[in-house]
Amino acid sequence: MPAPRNIPGSLVLAALLCLLAVTTATAQTRDVAGSRDYPGIGRFAGSVITGYVVKDFDAARMQAAAFKDGQPTDARRLEGRVVRIAYRTNPGPSILEVSRNFDTQLAKAGFETLLACDTDACGAIPFTENIDTLPIPQMWVDGFNYRYFAGRKSEGGRETYASVIVSQNNQDIYAQVTVAELGAIANKMVDAAAMAKGLGETGHIALYGIYFDTDKAVLKPESRPTLEQIAKLLTSQPQLNVFIVGHTDSQGAYEYNLDLSKRRAEAVAAELAKSFRIAQARLRTAGVGLLAPVGSNATDAGRALNRRVELVAP
């Protein structure tokens, strides 16, 4: 029989994505490195974390009401610290069982319900196109079969939103928890003058304007303004050499964090040499992982302070 021809590219892509999702789900038996449950919410029994993204400042899209005539009626764009965690549960439980467990847990955690609906009541496929989910194979959403919850709580003057979408691929259940802790963006810019002052007065300066994705050592484009200020400092003081030191919080294995922090420091040095023509000999790198905290690793705020890059004077 001759091979079929003229298969639409979209069908080929869909087939490949399905195969990728099945293969990944079959292979993964433990949480992705560096991930953890959101405190007070947790996970459905037997689940593994397939995707984990935490941003100190980001925007999340949540729906606080069902769609009407295919359009949102209460869409919310939430800015602040955003946590996205995707889970996969092996065959056995239903979408409803997993969803109801999350609903109950969020109620216990103090979230009042804004919206709890299933496929048709939510708004079917258009609804799923207007919420944030992690990409395949981390998260899988079937627009014809899902449940959604959105809730809100206010505590100590702080407003937090949470949403959970639960769906299915083959027989595996997928769930994504998204939590948005509302807050204004922190000013993390440190200019060349402040860097010089810190090095002169204390011998080091912490930089929070250098960004990496969770568990990665690749510089994000948002890091460029801070890199420009480091380059400005080093260009204005040709005699100055510095150590670039990477730091992490306490999440994850000790040896892994040491290596990750060193690779991040090396990434900063490499970018300064490549894009700003700073002599590599002026930039020595080190990674100390979790060994020099400036905040408590028992709190989210403390861990955020501990995730940093520092310039250190020799």
Side-chain angles (χ1 to χ4, degrees):
M1 177 181 295
R5 298 182 179 180
N6 300 324
I7 299 176
S10 58
L11 293 180
V12 174
L13 177 60
L16 289 173
L17 289 174
C18 288
L19 178 60
L20 177 61
V22 171
T23 302
T24 302
T26 301
Q28 185 175 344
T29 59
R30 63 182 64 185
D31 294 348
V32 297
S35 64
R36 66 189 185 96
D37 297 327
Y38 190 87
I41 297 179
R43 72 181 74 186
F44 188 83
S47 301
V48 295
I49 296 178
T50 55
Y52 184 78
V53 177
V54 178
K55 303 287 187 183
D56 290 336
F57 189 83
D58 200 2
R61 295 184 300 168
M62 290 188 188
Q63 300 297 331
F67 274 30
K68 184 176 181 181
D69 298 325
Q71 297 297 320
T73 59
D74 190 354
R76 304 195 182 186
R77 186 180 188 275
L78 309 171
E79 291 190 354
R81 182 174 184 269
V82 178
V83 181
R84 298 177 175 92
I85 312 171
Y87 297 93
R88 177 183 56 79
T89 300
N90 287 327
S94 65
I95 291 175
L96 180 61
E97 181 183 7
V98 175
S99 178
R100 286 281 172 79
N101 270 266
F102 273 112
D103 294 358
T104 300
Q105 189 62 26
L106 284 161
K108 289 180 180 178
F111 287 89
E112 61 173 306
T113 301
L114 297 173
L115 176 63
C117 56
D118 58 16
T119 310
D120 292 334
C122 289
I125 291 177
F127 185 91
T128 63
E129 293 173 342
N130 284 271
I131 58 174
D132 291 337
T133 56
L134 294 173
I136 296 171
Q138 297 175 52
M139 180 60 191
W140 185 279
V141 178
D142 179 350
F144 296 97
N145 190 16
Y146 64 88
R147 287 187 60 85
Y148 182 82
F149 171 93
R152 172 192 172 277
K153 74 173 179 179
S154 182
E155 190 174 55
R158 185 180 191 179
E159 197 171 10
T160 303
Y161 286 78
S163 69
V164 181
I165 184 163
V166 183
S167 192
Q168 184 172 336
N169 177 46
N170 293 321
Q171 297 303 309
D172 293 330
I173 304 297
Y174 283 79
Q176 180 174 315
V177 175
T178 302
V179 180
E181 304 164 358
L182 303 195
I185 189 168
N187 182 6
K188 294 185 176 181
M189 279 300 300
V190 178
D191 63 17
M195 293 178 194
K197 185 173 184 289
L199 291 174
E201 293 181 352
T202 65
H204 67 101
I205 182 77
L207 305 177
Y208 292 97
I210 295 178
Y211 301 97
F212 303 89
D213 281 332
T214 301
D215 202 37
K216 299 288 177 57
V218 178
L219 282 163
K220 294 173 67 65
E222 303 95 293
S223 305
R224 188 169 181 86
T226 297
L227 293 171
E228 288 175 344
Q229 292 301 311
I230 299 173
K232 181 178 178 180
L233 167 69
L234 294 171
T235 301
S236 67
Q237 298 187 36
Q239 78 289 352
L240 177 64
N241 299 331
V242 294
F243 287 98
I244 300 172
V245 184
H247 296 257
T248 69
D249 59 26
S250 64
Q251 303 300 305
Y254 169 74
E255 294 290 348
Y256 181 85
N257 279 330
L258 281 180
D259 178 65
L260 177 63
S261 62
K262 188 173 191 308
R263 287 188 288 119
R264 286 180 169 178
E266 290 170 347
V268 173
E271 185 63 20
L272 288 170
K274 175 185 174 183
S275 297
F276 300 94
R277 299 183 179 179
I278 304 299
Q280 191 76 49
R282 301 176 63 192
L283 310 168
R284 297 182 64 182
T285 60
V288 297
L290 53 85
L291 295 178
V294 291
S296 170
N297 277 306
T299 67
D300 288 336
R303 285 189 292 271
L305 288 174
N306 293 335
R307 297 188 297 269
R308 68 198 189 278
V309 171
E310 290 200 0
L311 296 185
V312 178

